[in-house]
PDB file of all heavy atoms in Angstrom:
ATOM      1  N   ALA A   1      -4.539   2.708  -3.214  1.00  0.00           N
ATOM      2  CA  ALA A   1      -5.136   1.423  -2.846  1.00  0.00           C
ATOM      3  C   ALA A   1      -6.536   1.347  -3.442  1.00  0.00           C
ATOM      4  O   ALA A   1      -7.113   2.368  -3.798  1.00  0.00           O
ATOM      5  CB  ALA A   1      -5.199   1.266  -1.329  1.00  0.00           C
ATOM      6  N   GLY A   2      -7.028   0.149  -3.533  1.00  0.00           N
ATOM      7  CA  GLY A   2      -8.389  -0.029  -4.028  1.00  0.00           C
ATOM      8  C   GLY A   2      -8.461  -0.797  -5.321  1.00  0.00           C
ATOM      9  O   GLY A   2      -9.509  -0.887  -5.934  1.00  0.00           O
ATOM     10  N   SER A   3      -7.363  -1.385  -5.744  1.00  0.00           N
ATOM     11  CA  SER A   3      -7.384  -2.090  -7.029  1.00  0.00           C
ATOM     12  C   SER A   3      -7.956  -3.494  -6.890  1.00  0.00           C
ATOM     13  O   SER A   3      -8.692  -3.939  -7.743  1.00  0.00           O
ATOM     14  CB  SER A   3      -5.977  -2.172  -7.615  1.00  0.00           C
ATOM     15  OG  SER A   3      -5.198  -3.119  -6.921  1.00  0.00           O
ATOM     16  N   PHE A   4      -7.581  -4.194  -5.856  1.00  0.00           N
ATOM     17  CA  PHE A   4      -7.975  -5.588  -5.628  1.00  0.00           C
ATOM     18  C   PHE A   4      -7.626  -6.481  -6.815  1.00  0.00           C
ATOM     19  O   PHE A   4      -8.014  -7.624  -6.869  1.00  0.00           O
ATOM     20  CB  PHE A   4      -9.459  -5.713  -5.261  1.00  0.00           C
ATOM     21  CG  PHE A   4      -9.813  -4.855  -4.089  1.00  0.00           C
ATOM     22  CD1 PHE A   4     -10.599  -3.737  -4.249  1.00  0.00           C
ATOM     23  CD2 PHE A   4      -9.333  -5.155  -2.829  1.00  0.00           C
ATOM     24  CE1 PHE A   4     -10.910  -2.932  -3.177  1.00  0.00           C
ATOM     25  CE2 PHE A   4      -9.640  -4.342  -1.744  1.00  0.00           C
ATOM     26  CZ  PHE A   4     -10.433  -3.238  -1.919  1.00  0.00           C
ATOM     27  N   ASP A   5      -6.927  -5.946  -7.789  1.00  0.00           N
ATOM     28  CA  ASP A   5      -6.351  -6.681  -8.909  1.00  0.00           C
ATOM     29  C   ASP A   5      -7.315  -7.608  -9.649  1.00  0.00           C
ATOM     30  O   ASP A   5      -6.918  -8.660 -10.105  1.00  0.00           O
ATOM     31  CB  ASP A   5      -5.140  -7.471  -8.410  1.00  0.00           C
ATOM     32  CG  ASP A   5      -4.121  -7.685  -9.513  1.00  0.00           C
ATOM     33  OD1 ASP A   5      -4.008  -6.849 -10.415  1.00  0.00           O
ATOM     34  OD2 ASP A   5      -3.434  -8.713  -9.474  1.00  0.00           O
ATOM     35  N   PRO A   6      -8.599  -7.260  -9.830  1.00  0.00           N
ATOM     36  CA  PRO A   6      -9.510  -8.176 -10.520  1.00  0.00           C
ATOM     37  C   PRO A   6      -9.226  -8.300 -12.013  1.00  0.00           C
ATOM     38  O   PRO A   6      -9.370  -9.372 -12.580  1.00  0.00           O
ATOM     39  CB  PRO A   6     -10.891  -7.572 -10.284  1.00  0.00           C
ATOM     40  CG  PRO A   6     -10.615  -6.115 -10.124  1.00  0.00           C
ATOM     41  CD  PRO A   6      -9.262  -6.037  -9.448  1.00  0.00           C
ATOM     42  N   ASN A   7      -8.812  -7.207 -12.638  1.00  0.00           N
ATOM     43  CA  ASN A   7      -8.596  -7.253 -14.086  1.00  0.00           C
ATOM     44  C   ASN A   7      -7.300  -6.558 -14.493  1.00  0.00           C
ATOM     45  O   ASN A   7      -7.072  -6.326 -15.672  1.00  0.00           O
ATOM     46  CB  ASN A   7      -9.769  -6.595 -14.812  1.00  0.00           C
ATOM     47  CG  ASN A   7     -10.012  -5.186 -14.322  1.00  0.00           C
ATOM     48  OD1 ASN A   7      -9.153  -4.598 -13.658  1.00  0.00           O
ATOM     49  ND2 ASN A   7     -11.164  -4.634 -14.618  1.00  0.00           N
ATOM     50  N   LYS A   8      -6.497  -6.214 -13.530  1.00  0.00           N
ATOM     51  CA  LYS A   8      -5.188  -5.575 -13.743  1.00  0.00           C
ATOM     52  C   LYS A   8      -5.289  -4.219 -14.436  1.00  0.00           C
ATOM     53  O   LYS A   8      -4.319  -3.735 -14.986  1.00  0.00           O
ATOM     54  CB  LYS A   8      -4.253  -6.512 -14.497  1.00  0.00           C
ATOM     55  CG  LYS A   8      -3.997  -7.793 -13.756  1.00  0.00           C
ATOM     56  CD  LYS A   8      -3.020  -8.660 -14.486  1.00  0.00           C
ATOM     57  CE  LYS A   8      -2.852  -9.939 -13.692  1.00  0.00           C
ATOM     58  NZ  LYS A   8      -1.969 -10.877 -14.276  1.00  0.00           N
ATOM     59  N   ASN A   9      -6.448  -3.584 -14.424  1.00  0.00           N
ATOM     60  CA  ASN A   9      -6.593  -2.262 -15.013  1.00  0.00           C
ATOM     61  C   ASN A   9      -6.375  -1.151 -14.002  1.00  0.00           C
ATOM     62  O   ASN A   9      -6.139  -0.018 -14.370  1.00  0.00           O
ATOM     63  CB  ASN A   9      -7.983  -2.094 -15.648  1.00  0.00           C
ATOM     64  CG  ASN A   9      -8.099  -2.892 -16.919  1.00  0.00           C
ATOM     65  OD1 ASN A   9      -7.132  -3.116 -17.615  1.00  0.00           O
ATOM     66  ND2 ASN A   9      -9.310  -3.338 -17.217  1.00  0.00           N
ATOM     67  N   THR A  10      -6.487  -1.457 -12.723  1.00  0.00           N
ATOM     68  CA  THR A  10      -6.322  -0.436 -11.697  1.00  0.00           C
ATOM     69  C   THR A  10      -4.921  -0.568 -11.116  1.00  0.00           C
ATOM     70  O   THR A  10      -4.722  -1.118 -10.048  1.00  0.00           O
ATOM     71  CB  THR A  10      -7.389  -0.576 -10.603  1.00  0.00           C
ATOM     72  OG1 THR A  10      -8.656  -0.692 -11.223  1.00  0.00           O
ATOM     73  CG2 THR A  10      -7.405   0.640  -9.709  1.00  0.00           C
ATOM     74  N   THR A  11      -3.962  -0.089 -11.872  1.00  0.00           N
ATOM     75  CA  THR A  11      -2.563  -0.106 -11.460  1.00  0.00           C
ATOM     76  C   THR A  11      -1.941   1.216 -11.864  1.00  0.00           C
ATOM     77  O   THR A  11      -2.541   2.004 -12.584  1.00  0.00           O
ATOM     78  CB  THR A  11      -1.794  -1.246 -12.152  1.00  0.00           C
ATOM     79  OG1 THR A  11      -1.757  -1.002 -13.556  1.00  0.00           O
ATOM     80  CG2 THR A  11      -2.415  -2.597 -11.890  1.00  0.00           C
ATOM     81  N   GLY A  12      -0.750   1.449 -11.419  1.00  0.00           N
ATOM     82  CA  GLY A  12       0.009   2.568 -11.945  1.00  0.00           C
ATOM     83  C   GLY A  12       0.187   3.745 -11.022  1.00  0.00           C
ATOM     84  O   GLY A  12      -0.184   3.723  -9.852  1.00  0.00           O
ATOM     85  N   THR A  13       0.765   4.782 -11.601  1.00  0.00           N
ATOM     86  CA  THR A  13       1.107   5.995 -10.874  1.00  0.00           C
ATOM     87  C   THR A  13       0.307   7.177 -11.407  1.00  0.00           C
ATOM     88  O   THR A  13      -0.016   7.229 -12.596  1.00  0.00           O
ATOM     89  CB  THR A  13       2.622   6.277 -10.995  1.00  0.00           C
ATOM     90  OG1 THR A  13       2.976   7.343 -10.138  1.00  0.00           O
ATOM     91  CG2 THR A  13       3.045   6.587 -12.405  1.00  0.00           C
ATOM     92  N   GLU A  14      -0.028   8.086 -10.515  1.00  0.00           N
ATOM     93  CA  GLU A  14      -0.705   9.326 -10.906  1.00  0.00           C
ATOM     94  C   GLU A  14      -0.230  10.435  -9.987  1.00  0.00           C
ATOM     95  O   GLU A  14       0.125  10.192  -8.843  1.00  0.00           O
ATOM     96  CB  GLU A  14      -2.223   9.187 -10.885  1.00  0.00           C
ATOM     97  CG  GLU A  14      -2.798   8.749  -9.570  1.00  0.00           C
ATOM     98  CD  GLU A  14      -4.242   8.298  -9.669  1.00  0.00           C
ATOM     99  OE1 GLU A  14      -4.854   8.413 -10.729  1.00  0.00           O
ATOM    100  OE2 GLU A  14      -4.759   7.817  -8.656  1.00  0.00           O
ATOM    101  N   THR A  15      -0.200  11.644 -10.525  1.00  0.00           N
ATOM    102  CA  THR A  15       0.290  12.787  -9.776  1.00  0.00           C
ATOM    103  C   THR A  15      -0.704  13.924  -9.924  1.00  0.00           C
ATOM    104  O   THR A  15      -1.139  14.229 -11.030  1.00  0.00           O
ATOM    105  CB  THR A  15       1.671  13.218 -10.302  1.00  0.00           C
ATOM    106  OG1 THR A  15       2.521  12.071 -10.363  1.00  0.00           O
ATOM    107  CG2 THR A  15       2.306  14.247  -9.397  1.00  0.00           C
ATOM    108  N   TYR A  16      -1.069  14.527  -8.791  1.00  0.00           N
ATOM    109  CA  TYR A  16      -2.062  15.608  -8.783  1.00  0.00           C
ATOM    110  C   TYR A  16      -1.396  16.950  -8.514  1.00  0.00           C
ATOM    111  O   TYR A  16      -0.413  17.034  -7.785  1.00  0.00           O
ATOM    112  CB  TYR A  16      -3.116  15.352  -7.701  1.00  0.00           C
ATOM    113  CG  TYR A  16      -4.002  14.189  -8.020  1.00  0.00           C
ATOM    114  CD1 TYR A  16      -3.697  12.913  -7.569  1.00  0.00           C
ATOM    115  CD2 TYR A  16      -5.145  14.362  -8.781  1.00  0.00           C
ATOM    116  CE1 TYR A  16      -4.508  11.838  -7.874  1.00  0.00           C
ATOM    117  CE2 TYR A  16      -5.972  13.291  -9.089  1.00  0.00           C
ATOM    118  CZ  TYR A  16      -5.639  12.032  -8.632  1.00  0.00           C
ATOM    119  OH  TYR A  16      -6.442  10.972  -8.933  1.00  0.00           O
ATOM    120  N   TYR A  17      -1.953  17.993  -9.093  1.00  0.00           N
ATOM    121  CA  TYR A  17      -1.470  19.356  -8.901  1.00  0.00           C
ATOM    122  C   TYR A  17      -2.658  20.293  -8.785  1.00  0.00           C
ATOM    123  O   TYR A  17      -3.779  19.935  -9.115  1.00  0.00           O
ATOM    124  CB  TYR A  17      -0.582  19.791 -10.080  1.00  0.00           C
ATOM    125  CG  TYR A  17      -1.315  19.826 -11.395  1.00  0.00           C
ATOM    126  CD1 TYR A  17      -1.947  20.980 -11.829  1.00  0.00           C
ATOM    127  CD2 TYR A  17      -1.411  18.690 -12.188  1.00  0.00           C
ATOM    128  CE1 TYR A  17      -2.656  21.008 -13.030  1.00  0.00           C
ATOM    129  CE2 TYR A  17      -2.109  18.705 -13.379  1.00  0.00           C
ATOM    130  CZ  TYR A  17      -2.718  19.861 -13.796  1.00  0.00           C
ATOM    131  OH  TYR A  17      -3.425  19.892 -14.974  1.00  0.00           O
ATOM    132  N   ARG A  18      -2.404  21.508  -8.319  1.00  0.00           N
ATOM    133  CA  ARG A  18      -3.474  22.494  -8.187  1.00  0.00           C
ATOM    134  C   ARG A  18      -3.190  23.743  -9.015  1.00  0.00           C
ATOM    135  O   ARG A  18      -4.075  24.328  -9.592  1.00  0.00           O
ATOM    136  CB  ARG A  18      -3.651  22.861  -6.723  1.00  0.00           C
ATOM    137  CG  ARG A  18      -4.860  23.699  -6.449  1.00  0.00           C
ATOM    138  CD  ARG A  18      -5.190  23.646  -4.965  1.00  0.00           C
ATOM    139  NE  ARG A  18      -6.311  24.478  -4.655  1.00  0.00           N
ATOM    140  CZ  ARG A  18      -7.575  24.099  -4.782  1.00  0.00           C
ATOM    141  NH1 ARG A  18      -7.866  22.904  -5.215  1.00  0.00           N
ATOM    142  NH2 ARG A  18      -8.544  24.927  -4.473  1.00  0.00           N
ATOM    143  N   SER A  19      -1.931  24.154  -9.109  1.00  0.00           N
ATOM    144  CA  SER A  19      -1.588  25.397  -9.796  1.00  0.00           C
ATOM    145  C   SER A  19      -0.831  25.106 -11.098  1.00  0.00           C
ATOM    146  O   SER A  19      -0.370  23.989 -11.325  1.00  0.00           O
ATOM    147  CB  SER A  19      -0.710  26.263  -8.895  1.00  0.00           C
ATOM    148  OG  SER A  19       0.553  25.642  -8.713  1.00  0.00           O
ATOM    149  N   ILE A  20      -0.666  26.128 -11.904  1.00  0.00           N
ATOM    150  CA  ILE A  20       0.101  25.995 -13.147  1.00  0.00           C
ATOM    151  C   ILE A  20       1.549  25.606 -12.841  1.00  0.00           C
ATOM    152  O   ILE A  20       2.119  24.736 -13.501  1.00  0.00           O
ATOM    153  CB  ILE A  20       0.062  27.317 -13.960  1.00  0.00           C
ATOM    154  CG1 ILE A  20      -1.360  27.627 -14.395  1.00  0.00           C
ATOM    155  CG2 ILE A  20       0.990  27.263 -15.149  1.00  0.00           C
ATOM    156  CD1 ILE A  20      -1.971  26.618 -15.328  1.00  0.00           C
ATOM    157  N   LYS A  21       2.138  26.240 -11.836  1.00  0.00           N
ATOM    158  CA  LYS A  21       3.506  25.897 -11.456  1.00  0.00           C
ATOM    159  C   LYS A  21       3.571  24.451 -10.966  1.00  0.00           C
ATOM    160  O   LYS A  21       4.506  23.719 -11.287  1.00  0.00           O
ATOM    161  CB  LYS A  21       4.016  26.850 -10.375  1.00  0.00           C
ATOM    162  CG  LYS A  21       5.475  26.685 -10.085  1.00  0.00           C
ATOM    163  CD  LYS A  21       5.967  27.747  -9.118  1.00  0.00           C
ATOM    164  CE  LYS A  21       7.451  27.586  -8.871  1.00  0.00           C
ATOM    165  NZ  LYS A  21       7.952  28.544  -7.898  1.00  0.00           N
ATOM    166  N   GLY A  22       2.581  24.021 -10.201  1.00  0.00           N
ATOM    167  CA  GLY A  22       2.525  22.641  -9.739  1.00  0.00           C
ATOM    168  C   GLY A  22       2.391  21.663 -10.890  1.00  0.00           C
ATOM    169  O   GLY A  22       2.939  20.562 -10.853  1.00  0.00           O
ATOM    170  N   LYS A  23       1.674  22.063 -11.943  1.00  0.00           N
ATOM    171  CA  LYS A  23       1.489  21.192 -13.103  1.00  0.00           C
ATOM    172  C   LYS A  23       2.819  20.831 -13.753  1.00  0.00           C
ATOM    173  O   LYS A  23       3.050  19.676 -14.120  1.00  0.00           O
ATOM    174  CB  LYS A  23       0.562  21.831 -14.129  1.00  0.00           C
ATOM    175  CG  LYS A  23       0.317  20.936 -15.343  1.00  0.00           C
ATOM    176  CD  LYS A  23      -0.550  21.603 -16.386  1.00  0.00           C
ATOM    177  CE  LYS A  23      -0.907  20.736 -17.564  1.00  0.00           C
ATOM    178  NZ  LYS A  23       0.060  19.764 -18.032  1.00  0.00           N
ATOM    179  N   ALA A  24       3.707  21.800 -13.874  1.00  0.00           N
ATOM    180  CA  ALA A  24       5.014  21.538 -14.486  1.00  0.00           C
ATOM    181  C   ALA A  24       5.773  20.471 -13.705  1.00  0.00           C
ATOM    182  O   ALA A  24       6.348  19.547 -14.294  1.00  0.00           O
ATOM    183  CB  ALA A  24       5.822  22.828 -14.567  1.00  0.00           C
ATOM    184  N   PHE A  25       5.764  20.564 -12.386  1.00  0.00           N
ATOM    185  CA  PHE A  25       6.432  19.567 -11.559  1.00  0.00           C
ATOM    186  C   PHE A  25       5.700  18.231 -11.607  1.00  0.00           C
ATOM    187  O   PHE A  25       6.315  17.177 -11.674  1.00  0.00           O
ATOM    188  CB  PHE A  25       6.555  20.071 -10.118  1.00  0.00           C
ATOM    189  CG  PHE A  25       7.573  21.144  -9.968  1.00  0.00           C
ATOM    190  CD1 PHE A  25       7.195  22.472  -9.900  1.00  0.00           C
ATOM    191  CD2 PHE A  25       8.925  20.838  -9.896  1.00  0.00           C
ATOM    192  CE1 PHE A  25       8.131  23.473  -9.767  1.00  0.00           C
ATOM    193  CE2 PHE A  25       9.876  21.833  -9.762  1.00  0.00           C
ATOM    194  CZ  PHE A  25       9.480  23.161  -9.704  1.00  0.00           C
ATOM    195  N   SER A  26       4.393  18.281 -11.563  1.00  0.00           N
ATOM    196  CA  SER A  26       3.578  17.072 -11.625  1.00  0.00           C
ATOM    197  C   SER A  26       3.851  16.292 -12.908  1.00  0.00           C
ATOM    198  O   SER A  26       4.034  15.076 -12.889  1.00  0.00           O
ATOM    199  CB  SER A  26       2.095  17.448 -11.532  1.00  0.00           C
ATOM    200  OG  SER A  26       1.280  16.324 -11.641  1.00  0.00           O
ATOM    201  N   ASP A  27       3.899  16.997 -14.020  1.00  0.00           N
ATOM    202  CA  ASP A  27       4.162  16.350 -15.312  1.00  0.00           C
ATOM    203  C   ASP A  27       5.523  15.658 -15.311  1.00  0.00           C
ATOM    204  O   ASP A  27       5.647  14.526 -15.780  1.00  0.00           O
ATOM    205  CB  ASP A  27       4.104  17.368 -16.455  1.00  0.00           C
ATOM    206  CG  ASP A  27       2.704  17.886 -16.734  1.00  0.00           C
ATOM    207  OD1 ASP A  27       1.718  17.302 -16.235  1.00  0.00           O
ATOM    208  OD2 ASP A  27       2.601  18.894 -17.467  1.00  0.00           O
ATOM    209  N   ARG A  28       6.532  16.338 -14.771  1.00  0.00           N
ATOM    210  CA  ARG A  28       7.881  15.764 -14.764  1.00  0.00           C
ATOM    211  C   ARG A  28       7.987  14.551 -13.856  1.00  0.00           C
ATOM    212  O   ARG A  28       8.571  13.531 -14.232  1.00  0.00           O
ATOM    213  CB  ARG A  28       8.893  16.829 -14.348  1.00  0.00           C
ATOM    214  CG  ARG A  28       9.092  17.875 -15.431  1.00  0.00           C
ATOM    215  CD  ARG A  28       9.961  19.032 -15.030  1.00  0.00           C
ATOM    216  NE  ARG A  28      11.253  18.634 -14.534  1.00  0.00           N
ATOM    217  CZ  ARG A  28      12.021  19.410 -13.772  1.00  0.00           C
ATOM    218  NH1 ARG A  28      11.612  20.612 -13.439  1.00  0.00           N
ATOM    219  NH2 ARG A  28      13.196  18.987 -13.362  1.00  0.00           N
ATOM    220  N   VAL A  29       7.437  14.651 -12.663  1.00  0.00           N
ATOM    221  CA  VAL A  29       7.487  13.533 -11.723  1.00  0.00           C
ATOM    222  C   VAL A  29       6.717  12.341 -12.280  1.00  0.00           C
ATOM    223  O   VAL A  29       7.190  11.205 -12.258  1.00  0.00           O
ATOM    224  CB  VAL A  29       6.945  13.945 -10.334  1.00  0.00           C
ATOM    225  CG1 VAL A  29       6.707  12.738  -9.444  1.00  0.00           C
ATOM    226  CG2 VAL A  29       7.893  14.925  -9.668  1.00  0.00           C
ATOM    227  N   ASN A  30       5.525  12.599 -12.795  1.00  0.00           N
ATOM    228  CA  ASN A  30       4.706  11.514 -13.324  1.00  0.00           C
ATOM    229  C   ASN A  30       5.377  10.850 -14.523  1.00  0.00           C
ATOM    230  O   ASN A  30       5.332   9.625 -14.666  1.00  0.00           O
ATOM    231  CB  ASN A  30       3.315  12.013 -13.696  1.00  0.00           C
ATOM    232  CG  ASN A  30       2.334  10.880 -13.782  1.00  0.00           C
ATOM    233  OD1 ASN A  30       1.888  10.367 -12.763  1.00  0.00           O
ATOM    234  ND2 ASN A  30       2.004  10.455 -14.996  1.00  0.00           N
TER     235      ASN A  30
END
């Protein structure tokens, strides 16, 4: 949340990870 859609630049999906193993899953899901 927090886009308020003023210029349509704050949209989309993002995935966070902490470890190397998490990165592999994060990359695939994202």
